[in-house]
Amino acid sequence: MKPLNVAVIGCGFMGRAHTNAHRKVWNFFDVPYRPVLKVICDVNEERAKKFAERWGFEGYETDYRKVMQRDDIDLVDICLPNNFHAEVAIAAAKAGKMIICEKPLARDGKEALAMVKAVEKAGVPNFVSFNYRRIPAVTLAKQLIEEGRLGRIFHYRAKFLQDWTISKDVPQGGDALWRLDVKAAGSGVTGDLLAHCIDTALWLNGSIEKVNAMTETFVKERLHQLTGKVEKVGIDDACAFLARFSNGSLATFESTRYARGHKALYTFEINGEHASIAWDLHDAHRLQWFDHRDQGKVRGWRSIHVTDHGGDHPYMDKWWVPGLMIGFEHSFVHQLNDFLVGVASGKPASPTFKEALETQYVCDAVLKSAKTGRWEKVKKV
Amino acid sequence: MKPLNVAVIGCGFMGRAHTNAHRKVWNFFDVPYRPVLKVICDVNEERAKKFAERWGFEGYETDYRKVMQRDDIDLVDICLPNNFHAEVAIAAAKAGKMIICEKPLARDGKEALAMVKAVEKAGVPNFVSFNYRRIPAVTLAKQLIEEGRLGRIFHYRAKFLQDWTISKDVPQGGDALWRLDVKAAGSGVTGDLLAHCIDTALWLNGSIEKVNAMTETFVKERLHQLTGKVEKVGIDDACAFLARFSNGSLATFESTRYARGHKALYTFEINGEHASIAWDLHDAHRLQWFDHRDQGKVRGWRSIHVTDHGGDHPYMDKWWVPGLMIGFEHSFVHQLNDFLVGVASGKPASPTFKEALETQYVCDAVLKSAKTGRWEKVKKV
Amino acid sequence: MKPLNVAVIGCGFMGRAHTNAHRKVWNFFDVPYRPVLKVICDVNEERAKKFAERWGFEGYETDYRKVMQRDDIDLVDICLPNNFHAEVAIAAAKAGKMIICEKPLARDGKEALAMVKAVEKAGVPNFVSFNYRRIPAVTLAKQLIEEGRLGRIFHYRAKFLQDWTISKDVPQGGDALWRLDVKAAGSGVTGDLLAHCIDTALWLNGSIEKVNAMTETFVKERLHQLTGKVEKVGIDDACAFLARFSNGSLATFESTRYARGHKALYTFEINGEHASIAWDLHDAHRLQWFDHRDQGKVRGWRSIHVTDHGGDHPYMDKWWVPGLMIGFEHSFVHQLNDFLVGVASGKPASPTFKEALETQYVCDAVLKSAKTGRWEKVKKV
Amino acid sequence: MKPLNVAVIGCGFMGRAHTNAHRKVWNFFDVPYRPVLKVICDVNEERAKKFAERWGFEGYETDYRKVMQRDDIDLVDICLPNNFHAEVAIAAAKAGKMIICEKPLARDGKEALAMVKAVEKAGVPNFVSFNYRRIPAVTLAKQLIEEGRLGRIFHYRAKFLQDWTISKDVPQGGDALWRLDVKAAGSGVTGDLLAHCIDTALWLNGSIEKVNAMTETFVKERLHQLTGKVEKVGIDDACAFLARFSNGSLATFESTRYARGHKALYTFEINGEHASIAWDLHDAHRLQWFDHRDQGKVRGWRSIHVTDHGGDHPYMDKWWVPGLMIGFEHSFVHQLNDFLVGVASGKPASPTFKEALETQYVCDAVLKSAKTGRWEKVKKV
C-alpha cells in the first residue's frame, strides 16, 4: 500500500467531510494507496493551523498556488466555494496533480467545460464528489437497474427539500453562507441541491433531453455579510422542473430551502414496467423496492435495510455487522476508495469531470427555461 | 326527519358508493332528510334490476328521461361516465331536481359551464362529488389551514399514482374501461385523477394562476371494446404540471397510471412559513403535521391518527371509538350529510357546480399547455 | 336469498356495529340469508325506541325474554355487557335460536362452559364475535400460515395498548363504563383486550400450554356510577404474560389502558424459520411480511396494502377498487357473511362457542397465575 | 490536549469499534486527552500485526500481561470475549491503568463484583461500554425523562431481536462464534443482548425489583469449533421476562436470535402519565415522542429526526449539518469523549463498573427465574 500525499483545499463543512474520508478509508478498505494528510490550505491562517492540528495534517498553506508548486503533493482535494473550483482545479491540472473536486463542478457549463479541457489536456485522474451515489442503498438501486429488473422506465421523480433559509434574518455571503450569494455559488438550490438529484438521475436513468422549469426567490433582499449592506438576493430559493429523458420516461424535479419540516430530504423514485425503487436521504440506509413479479397476495413495497454482508449490499461488509447503520460521512469514504481503486486500475471512478459536465448542462438548461418559460434542450457533452 | 326521494343514475363503482351513502347516512348522522332509495336507472335492464334488488331500491328505470318526469323524485344522483354528465344534469335541472354529480363535473370547461348555467337558472341545489375533501384527515388539514397555522404558503405538491394500465392488453372503452376512451372520459389522468388533486388544492390553497404541463400516452393503441378494433388511445396516460397559485406559492402536480407499486396513491403536501401538512390516501386516516413552533428538541413530524372524538377530529364522533379506522366509502357518507345539511340550512355544501367549474378550467389549461409547451393562464370562473 | 329475522340485544357500541353489519352484508356479499332487522331489545325503552328508528328495526322490546318467546325471530345477536352473556345465550339456546355473541364469551371459563353445553344441547348455530380475525390483513396472515410458509414457529408476540383510563376522574360502572366494573366485566384488560389477542393467537398458532402472568391496577379506587360511591377497582388495568404454545414456540402478551399515545394498538408478530408476519390495528389494512427465501440483496419487510382484488386478498373483491381502504366495521360484515354461509352449508364459521371456550380458559389461567406468581397450565377444552 | 496512551486488548468486532473511536474522537470533540494508539494486543500474532498496520498502532503485543507491565500505557481498553473480562480487568486495575471494558461486564454477578472491588481498591477510572446510551436519540430520551416530562411511569417494554442463528449449521465457539459457547459467553441472549436492554432501562427508569423469566434453546446441539465435536448448546437462544421496577411500573423484556427479519432490532418504549417515548436501533437516528399535553386535534406521535444542532440534540453539533445521519460507530466516539471528560473533571462517566454491576444482577435473577419458574428478586448493589 503506497502512500498518496494529499492536499485538502478549504476548511469548511466539506473540508471536514473529505479529510475524514482520507483518515478513515484505509482502516476499512483495502486501498491501493494510503492517503497521507500532507497539507491543509485555507486563506485564513488561524483556521488552517487549527484545522491541521485537529485533523493531523503535517502542515498548512494559505495560498493554494504554493500547494501546486510542491512536489510532495499527489492529490489536490478541492473543498472551496463554487467560484473557486475552476481556478484551483485548472491550476492543479497544470501542475499535474490528481484532482477531487466537491460538487457542483462549477457555477455553470462554461466554467465546467474549461475544467474538463484542463484535466483532459493534463491527463490527470479527476473526480467530482457527488457523494450520494455511494450511499449503499443508492448504489444498490444502481445495481438493480443495471440488472434490468425494472424493464421499460416510465417515471422518475426527485426532490431535495430543506427549510433553513425561511427566516428573513439569515444573511447572505461569507464563510458559511456563500451558498446564498449568487457570485460565489453561481445559483441557489439548482446548483447546490438539484445538482445532486440530476447527477443521480443521469447515472440511474440516462440522459435528459429537455426541461421546463420555474424558479422563485421568496426573500428578495438579505444582508450581505461581505459588504455589510442589504442587497438583492440573486439565487433561486426554489426550483421545480419537468423533464424528458432519452429513454422516453417523464420526470419531475423539485428543490427548495422553504419546505418546513425537512432538513435534507433528498428523495427519488423510479417507476418501471416491472418494478419500482424509492429512496430517502433522511432514512438513507433503507431502499424501498416493489417488484410486480412477486406473487400477488404477498406483493408489497419492501423496506430493504441495506446493512447486510456477504456481498449482498454494496460496501457494507467493510463496516460492522448486519443491522447496524452507517451515516452520511461514509459515502465520502466509499467514493474515496473507489477513486483510489480507479487510479490504480486505470478505470476511473465515476463521475469524472467530463461526466459531471452533463449535470452542469442540465442545470444551465433549467435556469434558462425558468427565464424563457418554455422547454429548453440540454446541450450534449 | 323528512324523507328525500332519491334516483341514482348509473350502476357502476360510483353507483355503488353513492347508494351505500344513501343507505347509511341516517344511521350515523342526524340528517335533516332521510334518503329513500326510490329508483335506480341504467340502460341495461338486467343490471338495473339486480342492482335494485341488491341495494333495496323500490324500483328501476332504463331511461333517465323517465326519471326526470317522475314527481316522486327529489334528488338525482349522477353516477355515469363523464360524457353523460352534462346531458343528464341539464335535464335534471330543467326538471327542478336537486343534483349530485360524480366528479369530474364534465369533460371540459365548456360542458361544465353549460351545467352551471342550467342549475343556476333552475335554482336547484347542486353538488359535485369530490369525495376526498371529506376524508377526516383532509378535512382536518383544511381546518388547520383556515386557522392560519401555516403562515405564508411557499409550496404545494400533489400526485395521484396508479399502475393498472401498464399492460398493453388492457382494452379501452365499454363498461368498466370507459376511463381509457377519450370520447367517454374527455381526458385521461387529468380529468380522472388530477381533478381530485386540483379540487383539493383549490380548496386548501386558493386559485391557480397559470400552469405549465406535459402529458404522455405510453401505450399508443389498445383494443376498443365497443368497436372491437385496435384503435388509437386518445387519453393522457400521464400528466405532470408546474403551477403558480395566486397566493404566490409554487406547485407541482403529477398523475399517472404507470407507477408500479401504487394503486391509488393520492398524496399532497403543503409547506408554510410556520408549519407543513402531508397526507396520503393509502393511509388515509393519518395526517402528517410539522409545526416549527414546537420546542426544538422535540420537534418532529406528527403522525396524527385522525380517529379521535370529542369534537377534535372531523366526523369521527359519529362512528366507532378512538383508534378505529374508517374507510374509503365513509367520505361519501360525510359529503352526503353535508349536502343534506346544506339543503336544509340554505348554505350549500361545497363544491357546487360553480365551484367545481374552476377545477375544470385548470384541467383545460393543463391540457392546452401540454400541447403548446408553455405557461397557460387559467380562465377565471 | 331467504330472509333471516334478527333480534339484536343491546344498544351500545357493539349493538351499533352488529346492526350495521346486518344492514350491509347483503349489499356486498352473496349471502344465503338476508338479515331482517326485526327487533332491537334494551332495558331502557327510550333508548330502544330511538335505536329502532335510527337503524330501521321493525320494532323493539325491553325484556329479552319476550324476544325468546317470539316465533318470528331466527337469530339472537347478543351485544350486552359480559355479565349478561350467559343468561341471555342460554335462554336463546333453549328457545332454539341461532346465536351470535359478542366477545368475550363470558366472564370466566365456568360461565362459558355452561353456554357451550347449552348451545350443544340445543343444536343451534352459534358464533362468538372475535371480529379481528376478519380484518383482511389478519385473514391473509392465517392463509400464509396455513400454506406452511413460515416453517417451524419460534416466537409469537402480541399486545393491545390503550390509554383511556389514565385519569383518576374516569368513573367505573354504568352504561359506557361497565368495562371498569369487575362485576359486569369479569376482568379488566384480560377479558376485554387480551381475549382478542388470545383468540387470534390460538387461531394462528395453535394451543397454549401454560402461562405466567402479572397484573396491576394502577388506580385503586374510582367513583362507581351505579352506587354513587368511591369504590375499590376490581379489574386489572394492565396484564402481561409469558406463554408457551404446544408447537414449542414462546410468546409474550401484554395489554394495558395506560399506554399514552395508543388508542387501540393491537399488534401481533409471528417469527418462523422461513418467514415472519406482523400486523397493527392502527394501520389495519397493511400486513408486514418478511420472507427469508427472497433473494438476499432485495430482502426486506414487505408492506402489503391488503386491498387487492382478483381473489388475492380476502374479502376485498367485494368492496371498492384496489388501493382503497375499508375500516373497522367491515370486519363485522365479513364475519356475519361467514356465519350465514356456515349456517347454510352446515360448516359452522369459527369461532363457535366451543372454540371460544379455549380463549376463556387461557384468560382464567392468566388471572390465576397473576395471583400465584408462577406458571399455570391452561385447562383443555 | 495531553496525549493518553492506549492499549486495546482484542482484535475482533469490538476491537475495531473501540479503535475507531480512539482515532476519531479528537477530530470531532474537544477532548481533554488525545488518545494515542500505542499497542494492540492479541494472542494471535499475525492478527495483531495486521491490525496494528491497518489501524496505525505503534506496536503490538501477544500477551496482555506485557501490556500491564509497560509504563507507557495509561488506558487499557478490553475488547475480549466475556470469559477474559475479569482476569484482564483485575490485572489492569492492579497495574493502575484506567479501564474501559466492553459489555457485559462479566459472565455473572460474582465475577463482576470481583472486578468492581478491584477497580475501587486501585482507584482507577473505569467504564463499561454500553454504547447505546450514547446514540443521540437515546440520550435525548434520557433528557426528556430527567426533565420530568413523562410524569408517573406505567410501562416499560424492550426487546432485542436478531435472526442469525436459526440455521442448525452455525457452529459454536471460536473466534467469531464465542457468543454461542456458554463457557466463553456465560449466557446467550441474556448477557449479549438483554444486557443492553437492561442497562438502558435502569438508566432511564431506575431499579428493577424482581423478574419472572423463561428461556429456550431452540437448537440443542451444534458443532463446537474448538473441539471439533457436536456438543450440547449451553446458552439461551431466547429469553423473555416480566419485571417490576421500584417506581411501580411494569415491564416486559424479550430477546432472541430466532426472529426472522430482524438483524439488530433493539427497541424500547416507555409510557408515562403525560407522555411516551419509543426508539428502534434499526432507525437509530429517530426518536418517537408522544405528548398528551399537545392540543387534541394535532396530537400524534412525533418522529424526531435527532440530527439538529444548536444544542438541541445531544452530540449532533459535533458532526455534519442538520438532517444528516450518523451511524452505529458514533456511539463509541460519544462515550469515549464522555469518559475522557469524566477522567479530566473527576466526575466519572456512567456506567462505571459498579453501575454496570446492577445489570449483571438483573441478568443473574433472570437466568435463575428461568430455572425456578417464579419471581426472583434482584440483588441490591
Side-chain angles (χ1 to χ4, degrees), chain B residues 70-83:
Chain B
R70 287 173 57 162
D71 289 341
D72 62 347
I73 299 301
D74 301 313
L75 168 64
V76 169
D77 191 345
I78 303 170
C79 300
L80 296 165
N82 303 347
N83 51 331

Side-chain angles (χ1 to χ4, degrees), chain D residues 39-71:
Chain D
V39 61
I40 178 71
C41 179
D42 197 283
V43 287
N44 180 322
E45 182 169 4
E46 182 62 19
R47 193 162 55 186
K49 209 171 168 180
K50 277 191 184 165
F51 196 91
E53 162 70 10
R54 180 176 280 279
W55 288 93
F57 280 88
E58 295 181 10
Y60 65 87
E61 298 280 2
T62 58
D63 184 338
Y64 79 86
R65 283 162 295 204
K66 290 261 183 65
V67 175
M68 303 309 162
Q69 291 159 10
R70 287 174 56 162
D71 287 342

Side-chain angles (χ1 to χ4, degrees), chain D residues 172-183:
Chain D
Q172 61 175 313
D175 275 5
L177 294 166
W178 61 265
R179 283 178 177 81
L180 298 191
D181 177 2
V182 72
K183 284 175 210 138

Side-chain angles (χ1 to χ4, degrees), chain C residues 2 5 8 15 27 86 89 117 146 166 239 296 300 313 325 328 349:
Chain C
K2 291 181 285 183
N5 291 336
V8 174
N27 302 146
K117 286 181 178 167
E146 296 226 317
I166 293 177
C239 176
H313 287 163
M325 299 161 38
F328 163 75

Side-chain angles (χ1 to χ4, degrees), chain A residues 7-20:
Chain A
V8 173
I9 319 293
C11 286
F13 166 29
M14 279 302 128
R16 295 172 75 231
H18 287 228
T19 299
N20 182 64

Side-chain angles (χ1 to χ4, degrees), chain C residues 106-123:
Chain C
R107 285 175 296 184
D108 57 38
K110 194 178 161 192
E111 270 189 351
L113 181 59
M115 294 165 79
V116 170
K117 286 181 178 167
V119 293
E120 295 202 336
K121 185 173 175 192

Side-chain angles (χ1 to χ4, degrees), chain C residues 18 102 155 213 226 242 296 337 350:
Chain C
H18 288 229
E102 181 50 30
H155 293 285
L226 297 182
L242 309 175
N337 172 69
S350 179

